[in-house]
Amino acid sequence: MATIGADRSLEQASISSQNLPLVRRLEAVGFRAWPAASVQYDGSWQVRLTAGHPSNRLNSIVPLDPSDHRDVQIRLEKASRKFEAYGRAAVVRQTPLASPVLIELLRAQNWTRFDETVVMTCDLAEAALPDTLDHLPTHDVGRFVDANLTVERAPLSLKPALAEIISAIKPPSGLFMIESAAEGPLATVLCVQDNDLAGIMSLSVCETRRREGLGTEILTSALRWARMRSARSAWLQVKLSNRPAIALYERLGFRDAYHYCYWQRETR
């Protein structure tokens, strides 16, 4: 597994170095698809904080310009104090848009690197979507949130924050669920269409029903919905360690666009 991750990281370096405009666009639509409660800027750095939800995508310092490293140590300390005020450890999201100077500072200060993730894209015009049972999206945010938390076995205490996040998404969104009368929610996915791009968020399948095609079924429904609404490309984010999910996405035509990871400093 470590070898696979290393190989993909080396491949990623050559991909991202030539495609920074795509990285910038996908980062921008990602912010809109999963909006933080508080967003502050320091130069090109975005400081995202959401008190009620633990997601690193909602709680991180996100540098957005590789050349922006002025007063990097002072700015990092200032941003870190914002996290301390929330009782959180400061987290930095490293994408190809992060300055190498900042990353070297994180290493020098013994920050911990974790959660390498791959962003993948798919040309929906070329995607050969399998002929699976089609599911229509629901408009009931509360019902979707309940289903998602059940499938992911997440604490019910997250319901208010998750409902608020989904309700705050401005682009058109499709909330997809597969349910069983006997077993309840089995799979969920959120698809956010931002002009010609469709973002796949929070794809989850019940642990006891995995490897039965439910992931393919619900993902295909979301992609068909987005394609019918004139989306040309789809994108998603998946942890590099999640090999079964990556294999599913690759079968549907998704390919690596770039990688990112997080760095964390423990609270003092």
Side-chain angles (χ1 to χ4, degrees), residues 187-244:
T188 62
V189 71
L190 164 64
C191 183
V192 180
Q193 186 188 349
D194 197 328
N195 295 312
D196 62 329
L197 291 174
I200 299 298
M201 316 289 292
S202 299
L203 173 61
S204 302
V205 177
C206 182
E207 188 174 358
T208 59
R209 297 294 301 274
R210 291 174 185 170
R211 302 183 184 279
E212 297 181 15
L214 292 175
T216 300
E217 186 176 307
I218 197 167
L219 176 58
T220 299
S221 293
L223 294 177
R224 284 202 194 102
W225 174 83
R227 189 162 65 181
M228 287 178 61
R229 295 177 56 88
S230 302
R232 297 180 181 179
S233 300
W235 63 271
L236 53 81
Q237 305 175 2
V238 56
K239 289 185 180 180
L240 196 59
S241 59
N242 192 348
R243 295 302 305 171

Short mmCIF file of all heavy atoms in Angstrom, two decimals, residues 187-244:
data_model
loop_
_atom_site.label_atom_id
_atom_site.label_comp_id
_atom_site.label_asym_id
_atom_site.label_seq_id
_atom_site.Cartn_x
_atom_site.Cartn_y
_atom_site.Cartn_z
N ALA A 187 -27.26 3.75 1.31
CA ALA A 187 -26.23 4.51 0.61
C ALA A 187 -26.70 5.94 0.40
O ALA A 187 -27.90 6.19 0.25
CB ALA A 187 -25.88 3.87 -0.74
N THR A 188 -25.76 6.87 0.40
CA THR A 188 -26.09 8.28 0.16
C THR A 188 -24.98 8.92 -0.67
O THR A 188 -23.83 8.50 -0.62
CB THR A 188 -26.23 9.08 1.46
OG1 THR A 188 -24.97 9.07 2.17
CG2 THR A 188 -27.31 8.51 2.36
N VAL A 189 -25.35 9.95 -1.41
CA VAL A 189 -24.36 10.78 -2.09
C VAL A 189 -24.97 12.15 -2.35
O VAL A 189 -26.18 12.28 -2.58
CB VAL A 189 -23.88 10.14 -3.41
CG1 VAL A 189 -24.96 10.17 -4.49
CG2 VAL A 189 -22.62 10.83 -3.93
N LEU A 190 -24.13 13.16 -2.28
CA LEU A 190 -24.52 14.54 -2.58
C LEU A 190 -23.79 14.95 -3.86
O LEU A 190 -22.57 14.79 -3.96
CB LEU A 190 -24.11 15.45 -1.42
CG LEU A 190 -24.09 16.96 -1.67
CD1 LEU A 190 -25.49 17.48 -1.97
CD2 LEU A 190 -23.51 17.69 -0.45
N CYS A 191 -24.55 15.45 -4.83
CA CYS A 191 -23.97 15.93 -6.08
C CYS A 191 -24.26 17.42 -6.21
O CYS A 191 -25.42 17.84 -6.17
CB CYS A 191 -24.55 15.17 -7.27
SG CYS A 191 -23.83 15.64 -8.86
N VAL A 192 -23.21 18.23 -6.35
CA VAL A 192 -23.34 19.68 -6.44
C VAL A 192 -22.93 20.12 -7.84
O VAL A 192 -21.77 19.93 -8.25
CB VAL A 192 -22.47 20.39 -5.39
CG1 VAL A 192 -22.63 21.91 -5.51
CG2 VAL A 192 -22.83 19.92 -3.98
N GLN A 193 -23.86 20.69 -8.59
CA GLN A 193 -23.57 21.13 -9.95
C GLN A 193 -23.26 22.62 -9.96
O GLN A 193 -24.12 23.46 -9.67
CB GLN A 193 -24.72 20.84 -10.91
CG GLN A 193 -24.33 21.18 -12.35
CD GLN A 193 -25.48 21.09 -13.31
OE1 GLN A 193 -26.55 20.58 -12.97
NE2 GLN A 193 -25.29 21.61 -14.52
N ASP A 194 -22.03 22.94 -10.31
CA ASP A 194 -21.56 24.31 -10.36
C ASP A 194 -21.24 24.63 -11.82
O ASP A 194 -20.14 24.34 -12.30
CB ASP A 194 -20.32 24.47 -9.48
CG ASP A 194 -20.01 25.93 -9.14
OD1 ASP A 194 -20.30 26.79 -9.99
OD2 ASP A 194 -19.49 26.20 -8.05
N ASN A 195 -22.22 25.18 -12.54
CA ASN A 195 -22.08 25.42 -13.99
C ASN A 195 -21.79 24.10 -14.70
O ASN A 195 -22.58 23.18 -14.61
CB ASN A 195 -21.03 26.48 -14.27
CG ASN A 195 -21.44 27.84 -13.71
OD1 ASN A 195 -22.56 28.28 -13.93
ND2 ASN A 195 -20.55 28.49 -12.97
N ASP A 196 -20.64 23.96 -15.37
CA ASP A 196 -20.38 22.74 -16.14
C ASP A 196 -19.66 21.67 -15.32
O ASP A 196 -19.31 20.62 -15.84
CB ASP A 196 -19.55 23.07 -17.38
CG ASP A 196 -18.18 23.64 -17.05
OD1 ASP A 196 -18.06 24.32 -16.01
OD2 ASP A 196 -17.23 23.41 -17.82
N LEU A 197 -19.45 21.92 -14.03
CA LEU A 197 -18.76 20.96 -13.16
C LEU A 197 -19.72 20.37 -12.14
O LEU A 197 -20.50 21.10 -11.52
CB LEU A 197 -17.60 21.64 -12.43
CG LEU A 197 -16.40 22.06 -13.28
CD1 LEU A 197 -15.41 22.85 -12.43
CD2 LEU A 197 -15.71 20.83 -13.87
N ALA A 198 -19.65 19.06 -11.95
CA ALA A 198 -20.48 18.39 -10.95
C ALA A 198 -19.56 17.77 -9.90
O ALA A 198 -18.70 16.95 -10.22
CB ALA A 198 -21.33 17.30 -11.61
N GLY A 199 -19.76 18.18 -8.65
CA GLY A 199 -18.95 17.66 -7.56
C GLY A 199 -19.67 16.55 -6.82
O GLY A 199 -20.83 16.69 -6.44
N ILE A 200 -18.99 15.43 -6.62
CA ILE A 200 -19.53 14.30 -5.89
C ILE A 200 -19.02 14.38 -4.46
O ILE A 200 -17.83 14.31 -4.20
CB ILE A 200 -19.10 12.97 -6.53
CG1 ILE A 200 -19.63 12.88 -7.96
CG2 ILE A 200 -19.58 11.79 -5.70
CD1 ILE A 200 -21.15 12.90 -8.07
N MET A 201 -19.96 14.54 -3.52
CA MET A 201 -19.60 14.73 -2.12
C MET A 201 -20.26 13.66 -1.26
O MET A 201 -21.38 13.24 -1.52
CB MET A 201 -20.08 16.11 -1.63
CG MET A 201 -19.84 17.26 -2.60
SD MET A 201 -18.11 17.72 -2.72
CE MET A 201 -17.83 18.38 -1.09
N SER A 202 -19.56 13.24 -0.22
CA SER A 202 -20.14 12.38 0.82
C SER A 202 -20.77 11.10 0.28
O SER A 202 -21.87 10.71 0.69
CB SER A 202 -21.19 13.15 1.63
OG SER A 202 -20.62 14.26 2.27
N LEU A 203 -20.08 10.41 -0.62
CA LEU A 203 -20.57 9.10 -1.07
C LEU A 203 -20.31 8.08 0.04
O LEU A 203 -19.18 7.87 0.46
CB LEU A 203 -19.85 8.67 -2.35
CG LEU A 203 -20.15 7.25 -2.85
CD1 LEU A 203 -21.63 7.10 -3.15
CD2 LEU A 203 -19.32 6.92 -4.07
N SER A 204 -21.37 7.47 0.53
CA SER A 204 -21.26 6.51 1.63
C SER A 204 -22.14 5.30 1.36
O SER A 204 -23.25 5.44 0.85
CB SER A 204 -21.67 7.15 2.96
OG SER A 204 -20.90 8.28 3.24
N VAL A 205 -21.64 4.12 1.72
CA VAL A 205 -22.41 2.88 1.61
C VAL A 205 -22.36 2.18 2.95
O VAL A 205 -21.30 2.11 3.59
CB VAL A 205 -21.84 1.96 0.50
CG1 VAL A 205 -22.62 0.64 0.45
CG2 VAL A 205 -21.88 2.66 -0.85
N CYS A 206 -23.49 1.66 3.39
CA CYS A 206 -23.59 0.95 4.66
C CYS A 206 -22.52 -0.15 4.73
O CYS A 206 -22.34 -0.91 3.78
CB CYS A 206 -24.98 0.35 4.80
SG CYS A 206 -25.26 -0.51 6.34
N GLU A 207 -21.82 -0.22 5.84
CA GLU A 207 -20.69 -1.14 5.98
C GLU A 207 -21.09 -2.58 5.71
O GLU A 207 -20.30 -3.36 5.15
CB GLU A 207 -20.10 -1.00 7.38
CG GLU A 207 -18.81 -1.76 7.57
CD GLU A 207 -18.16 -1.48 8.91
OE1 GLU A 207 -18.71 -0.68 9.69
OE2 GLU A 207 -17.11 -2.09 9.19
N THR A 208 -22.29 -2.98 6.09
CA THR A 208 -22.72 -4.37 5.92
C THR A 208 -23.19 -4.68 4.50
O THR A 208 -23.47 -5.84 4.18
CB THR A 208 -23.86 -4.70 6.90
OG1 THR A 208 -24.97 -3.81 6.65
CG2 THR A 208 -23.39 -4.55 8.34
N ARG A 209 -23.28 -3.65 3.64
CA ARG A 209 -23.79 -3.86 2.28
C ARG A 209 -22.79 -3.43 1.21
O ARG A 209 -23.18 -3.18 0.07
CB ARG A 209 -25.11 -3.11 2.11
CG ARG A 209 -26.24 -3.57 3.01
CD ARG A 209 -26.68 -5.00 2.67
NE ARG A 209 -27.11 -5.09 1.29
CZ ARG A 209 -28.36 -4.82 0.89
NH1 ARG A 209 -29.28 -4.45 1.77
NH2 ARG A 209 -28.69 -4.93 -0.38
N ARG A 210 -21.54 -3.35 1.56
CA ARG A 210 -20.54 -2.96 0.58
C ARG A 210 -20.21 -4.12 -0.36
O ARG A 210 -20.47 -5.27 -0.05
CB ARG A 210 -19.27 -2.45 1.29
CG ARG A 210 -19.52 -1.11 1.99
CD ARG A 210 -18.34 -0.66 2.82
NE ARG A 210 -18.68 0.56 3.56
CZ ARG A 210 -17.95 1.10 4.52
NH1 ARG A 210 -16.80 0.52 4.88
NH2 ARG A 210 -18.34 2.21 5.12
N ARG A 211 -19.63 -3.77 -1.50
CA ARG A 211 -19.26 -4.74 -2.54
C ARG A 211 -20.48 -5.44 -3.14
O ARG A 211 -20.39 -6.56 -3.61
CB ARG A 211 -18.25 -5.77 -2.01
CG ARG A 211 -16.97 -5.14 -1.48
CD ARG A 211 -15.97 -6.19 -1.03
NE ARG A 211 -14.80 -5.59 -0.43
CZ ARG A 211 -13.76 -5.08 -1.08
NH1 ARG A 211 -13.76 -5.11 -2.41
NH2 ARG A 211 -12.73 -4.54 -0.45
N GLU A 212 -21.63 -4.76 -3.09
CA GLU A 212 -22.85 -5.31 -3.70
C GLU A 212 -23.33 -4.44 -4.87
O GLU A 212 -24.41 -4.67 -5.40
CB GLU A 212 -23.96 -5.42 -2.66
CG GLU A 212 -23.65 -6.39 -1.52
CD GLU A 212 -24.78 -6.48 -0.51
OE1 GLU A 212 -25.91 -6.03 -0.83
OE2 GLU A 212 -24.55 -7.01 0.60
N GLY A 213 -22.56 -3.44 -5.23
CA GLY A 213 -22.93 -2.58 -6.36
C GLY A 213 -23.73 -1.36 -5.99
O GLY A 213 -24.12 -0.57 -6.87
N LEU A 214 -23.99 -1.14 -4.68
CA LEU A 214 -24.78 0.03 -4.29
C LEU A 214 -24.03 1.33 -4.56
O LEU A 214 -24.64 2.34 -4.92
CB LEU A 214 -25.14 -0.07 -2.80
CG LEU A 214 -26.11 -1.19 -2.42
CD1 LEU A 214 -26.29 -1.23 -0.91
CD2 LEU A 214 -27.46 -0.99 -3.11
N GLY A 215 -22.71 1.32 -4.36
CA GLY A 215 -21.92 2.52 -4.64
C GLY A 215 -21.99 2.89 -6.10
O GLY A 215 -22.17 4.06 -6.46
N THR A 216 -21.84 1.90 -6.98
CA THR A 216 -21.94 2.14 -8.42
C THR A 216 -23.32 2.66 -8.78
O THR A 216 -23.48 3.60 -9.57
CB THR A 216 -21.67 0.84 -9.19
OG1 THR A 216 -20.35 0.38 -8.88
CG2 THR A 216 -21.79 1.05 -10.69
N GLU A 217 -24.34 2.07 -8.17
CA GLU A 217 -25.73 2.43 -8.49
C GLU A 217 -26.05 3.87 -8.12
O GLU A 217 -26.60 4.62 -8.94
CB GLU A 217 -26.67 1.47 -7.74
CG GLU A 217 -28.13 1.61 -8.08
CD GLU A 217 -28.96 0.56 -7.38
OE1 GLU A 217 -28.62 -0.64 -7.51
OE2 GLU A 217 -29.94 0.93 -6.71
N ILE A 218 -25.68 4.27 -6.91
CA ILE A 218 -26.04 5.61 -6.48
C ILE A 218 -25.16 6.67 -7.14
O ILE A 218 -25.62 7.76 -7.48
CB ILE A 218 -26.01 5.73 -4.94
CG1 ILE A 218 -26.80 6.97 -4.50
CG2 ILE A 218 -24.58 5.73 -4.40
CD1 ILE A 218 -27.08 7.00 -3.02
N LEU A 219 -23.87 6.34 -7.35
CA LEU A 219 -22.99 7.28 -8.03
C LEU A 219 -23.43 7.49 -9.47
O LEU A 219 -23.44 8.62 -9.98
CB LEU A 219 -21.54 6.78 -7.97
CG LEU A 219 -20.50 7.61 -8.71
CD1 LEU A 219 -20.47 9.05 -8.21
CD2 LEU A 219 -19.11 6.98 -8.55
N THR A 220 -23.81 6.41 -10.15
CA THR A 220 -24.27 6.52 -11.53
C THR A 220 -25.53 7.38 -11.62
O THR A 220 -25.68 8.20 -12.54
CB THR A 220 -24.53 5.12 -12.11
OG1 THR A 220 -23.31 4.37 -12.09
CG2 THR A 220 -25.03 5.21 -13.54
N SER A 221 -26.43 7.24 -10.66
CA SER A 221 -27.65 8.07 -10.65
C SER A 221 -27.28 9.55 -10.55
O SER A 221 -27.85 10.39 -11.24
CB SER A 221 -28.54 7.68 -9.47
OG SER A 221 -29.06 6.39 -9.63
N ALA A 222 -26.32 9.86 -9.66
CA ALA A 222 -25.91 11.26 -9.48
C ALA A 222 -25.25 11.80 -10.75
O ALA A 222 -25.50 12.94 -11.15
CB ALA A 222 -24.96 11.36 -8.29
N LEU A 223 -24.41 10.99 -11.38
CA LEU A 223 -23.73 11.45 -12.60
C LEU A 223 -24.71 11.62 -13.75
O LEU A 223 -24.58 12.56 -14.54
CB LEU A 223 -22.62 10.46 -12.97
CG LEU A 223 -21.45 10.37 -11.98
CD1 LEU A 223 -20.46 9.30 -12.42
CD2 LEU A 223 -20.75 11.72 -11.83
N ARG A 224 -25.68 10.74 -13.86
CA ARG A 224 -26.70 10.90 -14.91
C ARG A 224 -27.49 12.19 -14.68
O ARG A 224 -27.79 12.93 -15.62
CB ARG A 224 -27.67 9.71 -14.89
CG ARG A 224 -27.13 8.44 -15.51
CD ARG A 224 -28.28 7.52 -15.92
NE ARG A 224 -27.82 6.19 -16.21
CZ ARG A 224 -27.93 5.15 -15.39
NH1 ARG A 224 -28.50 5.31 -14.20
NH2 ARG A 224 -27.49 3.96 -15.73
N TRP A 225 -27.85 12.45 -13.43
CA TRP A 225 -28.57 13.67 -13.08
C TRP A 225 -27.78 14.90 -13.48
O TRP A 225 -28.32 15.84 -14.09
CB TRP A 225 -28.85 13.67 -11.58
CG TRP A 225 -29.47 14.92 -11.04
CD1 TRP A 225 -30.79 15.25 -11.05
CD2 TRP A 225 -28.80 16.00 -10.38
NE1 TRP A 225 -30.99 16.48 -10.43
CE2 TRP A 225 -29.78 16.96 -10.02
CE3 TRP A 225 -27.47 16.25 -10.05
CZ2 TRP A 225 -29.47 18.14 -9.35
CZ3 TRP A 225 -27.15 17.42 -9.39
CH2 TRP A 225 -28.13 18.36 -9.04
N ALA A 226 -26.49 14.89 -13.17
CA ALA A 226 -25.64 16.04 -13.50
C ALA A 226 -25.50 16.19 -15.01
O ALA A 226 -25.54 17.31 -15.54
CB ALA A 226 -24.27 15.87 -12.85
N ARG A 227 -25.34 15.08 -15.72
CA ARG A 227 -25.18 15.15 -17.17
C ARG A 227 -26.45 15.66 -17.84
O ARG A 227 -26.38 16.45 -18.80
CB ARG A 227 -24.80 13.77 -17.72
CG ARG A 227 -24.39 13.79 -19.17
CD ARG A 227 -23.61 12.53 -19.56
NE ARG A 227 -24.42 11.32 -19.46
CZ ARG A 227 -23.95 10.10 -19.74
NH1 ARG A 227 -22.68 9.95 -20.09
NH2 ARG A 227 -24.73 9.05 -19.64
N MET A 228 -27.60 15.27 -17.33
CA MET A 228 -28.87 15.76 -17.88
C MET A 228 -29.03 17.26 -17.65
O MET A 228 -29.75 17.94 -18.40
CB MET A 228 -30.05 15.01 -17.26
CG MET A 228 -30.19 13.58 -17.74
SD MET A 228 -31.55 12.70 -16.92
CE MET A 228 -32.93 13.74 -17.43
N ARG A 229 -28.35 17.78 -16.62
CA ARG A 229 -28.41 19.21 -16.33
C ARG A 229 -27.26 19.96 -17.00
O ARG A 229 -26.95 21.09 -16.65
CB ARG A 229 -28.37 19.42 -14.82
CG ARG A 229 -29.60 18.85 -14.10
CD ARG A 229 -29.47 19.02 -12.59
NE ARG A 229 -29.25 20.41 -12.24
CZ ARG A 229 -30.23 21.29 -12.02
NH1 ARG A 229 -31.49 20.91 -12.11
NH2 ARG A 229 -29.96 22.55 -11.71
N SER A 230 -26.62 19.32 -17.97
CA SER A 230 -25.59 19.93 -18.82
C SER A 230 -24.21 20.05 -18.17
O SER A 230 -23.37 20.82 -18.64
CB SER A 230 -26.03 21.32 -19.32
OG SER A 230 -27.24 21.22 -20.05
N ALA A 231 -23.96 19.30 -17.11
CA ALA A 231 -22.59 19.25 -16.58
C ALA A 231 -21.71 18.49 -17.57
O ALA A 231 -22.13 17.48 -18.14
CB ALA A 231 -22.57 18.56 -15.23
N ARG A 232 -20.51 18.99 -17.78
CA ARG A 232 -19.59 18.35 -18.72
C ARG A 232 -18.55 17.49 -18.03
O ARG A 232 -18.04 16.53 -18.62
CB ARG A 232 -18.89 19.43 -19.56
CG ARG A 232 -19.83 20.25 -20.43
CD ARG A 232 -19.06 21.29 -21.23
NE ARG A 232 -19.94 22.09 -22.05
CZ ARG A 232 -19.53 23.09 -22.83
NH1 ARG A 232 -18.23 23.40 -22.87
NH2 ARG A 232 -20.39 23.77 -23.54
N SER A 233 -18.19 17.85 -16.82
CA SER A 233 -17.17 17.12 -16.08
C SER A 233 -17.63 16.91 -14.65
O SER A 233 -18.37 17.72 -14.10
CB SER A 233 -15.83 17.88 -16.07
OG SER A 233 -15.35 18.08 -17.37
N ALA A 234 -17.17 15.81 -14.07
CA ALA A 234 -17.43 15.53 -12.65
C ALA A 234 -16.10 15.49 -11.92
O ALA A 234 -15.06 15.18 -12.50
CB ALA A 234 -18.17 14.22 -12.49
N TRP A 235 -16.14 15.81 -10.63
CA TRP A 235 -14.93 15.74 -9.82
C TRP A 235 -15.31 15.20 -8.43
O TRP A 235 -16.46 15.26 -8.01
CB TRP A 235 -14.27 17.13 -9.67
CG TRP A 235 -15.13 18.14 -8.96
CD1 TRP A 235 -16.04 18.99 -9.53
CD2 TRP A 235 -15.17 18.40 -7.55
NE1 TRP A 235 -16.65 19.76 -8.57
CE2 TRP A 235 -16.14 19.43 -7.34
CE3 TRP A 235 -14.49 17.89 -6.45
CZ2 TRP A 235 -16.44 19.92 -6.08
CZ3 TRP A 235 -14.79 18.38 -5.18
CH2 TRP A 235 -15.74 19.40 -5.01
N LEU A 236 -14.33 14.64 -7.77
CA LEU A 236 -14.53 14.13 -6.43
C LEU A 236 -13.19 14.06 -5.71
O LEU A 236 -12.13 14.20 -6.33
CB LEU A 236 -15.21 12.76 -6.46
CG LEU A 236 -14.59 11.66 -7.32
CD1 LEU A 236 -13.42 10.97 -6.62
CD2 LEU A 236 -15.64 10.62 -7.70
N GLN A 237 -13.26 13.85 -4.40
CA GLN A 237 -12.07 13.73 -3.57
C GLN A 237 -12.16 12.43 -2.80
O GLN A 237 -13.21 12.10 -2.25
CB GLN A 237 -11.98 14.91 -2.60
CG GLN A 237 -12.02 16.27 -3.28
CD GLN A 237 -12.06 17.42 -2.29
OE1 GLN A 237 -12.02 17.24 -1.09
NE2 GLN A 237 -12.14 18.64 -2.81
N VAL A 238 -11.06 11.68 -2.74
CA VAL A 238 -11.05 10.40 -2.05
C VAL A 238 -9.68 10.19 -1.42
O VAL A 238 -8.65 10.50 -2.02
CB VAL A 238 -11.41 9.24 -3.01
CG1 VAL A 238 -10.48 9.20 -4.21
CG2 VAL A 238 -11.41 7.91 -2.28
N LYS A 239 -9.67 9.66 -0.20
CA LYS A 239 -8.39 9.40 0.46
C LYS A 239 -7.60 8.36 -0.32
O LYS A 239 -8.15 7.38 -0.82
CB LYS A 239 -8.62 8.93 1.90
CG LYS A 239 -9.12 10.03 2.82
CD LYS A 239 -9.22 9.54 4.26
CE LYS A 239 -9.73 10.65 5.17
NZ LYS A 239 -9.84 10.20 6.58
N LEU A 240 -6.32 8.58 -0.42
CA LEU A 240 -5.45 7.71 -1.21
C LEU A 240 -5.46 6.28 -0.67
O LEU A 240 -5.23 5.33 -1.41
CB LEU A 240 -4.03 8.27 -1.21
CG LEU A 240 -3.06 7.74 -2.26
CD1 LEU A 240 -3.58 7.98 -3.66
CD2 LEU A 240 -1.69 8.38 -2.09
N SER A 241 -5.74 6.13 0.61
CA SER A 241 -5.75 4.80 1.23
C SER A 241 -7.02 4.01 0.89
O SER A 241 -7.07 2.79 1.13
CB SER A 241 -5.63 4.93 2.75
OG SER A 241 -6.69 5.70 3.28
N ASN A 242 -8.03 4.67 0.33
CA ASN A 242 -9.31 4.01 0.05
C ASN A 242 -9.27 3.37 -1.33
O ASN A 242 -9.88 3.85 -2.29
CB ASN A 242 -10.46 5.02 0.15
CG ASN A 242 -11.82 4.34 0.17
OD1 ASN A 242 -11.95 3.16 -0.11
ND2 ASN A 242 -12.84 5.11 0.50
N ARG A 243 -8.56 2.26 -1.42
CA ARG A 243 -8.36 1.62 -2.73
C ARG A 243 -9.66 1.11 -3.36
O ARG A 243 -9.83 1.25 -4.58
CB ARG A 243 -7.36 0.47 -2.58
CG ARG A 243 -5.95 0.89 -2.19
CD ARG A 243 -5.35 1.86 -3.17
NE ARG A 243 -5.36 1.35 -4.52
CZ ARG A 243 -5.06 2.06 -5.59
NH1 ARG A 243 -4.72 3.33 -5.48
NH2 ARG A 243 -5.07 1.52 -6.79
N PRO A 244 -10.61 0.53 -2.60
CA PRO A 244 -11.84 0.08 -3.25
C PRO A 244 -12.61 1.23 -3.91
O PRO A 244 -13.13 1.08 -5.02
CB PRO A 244 -12.64 -0.54 -2.09
CG PRO A 244 -11.61 -0.96 -1.11
CD PRO A 244 -10.54 0.09 -1.19
#
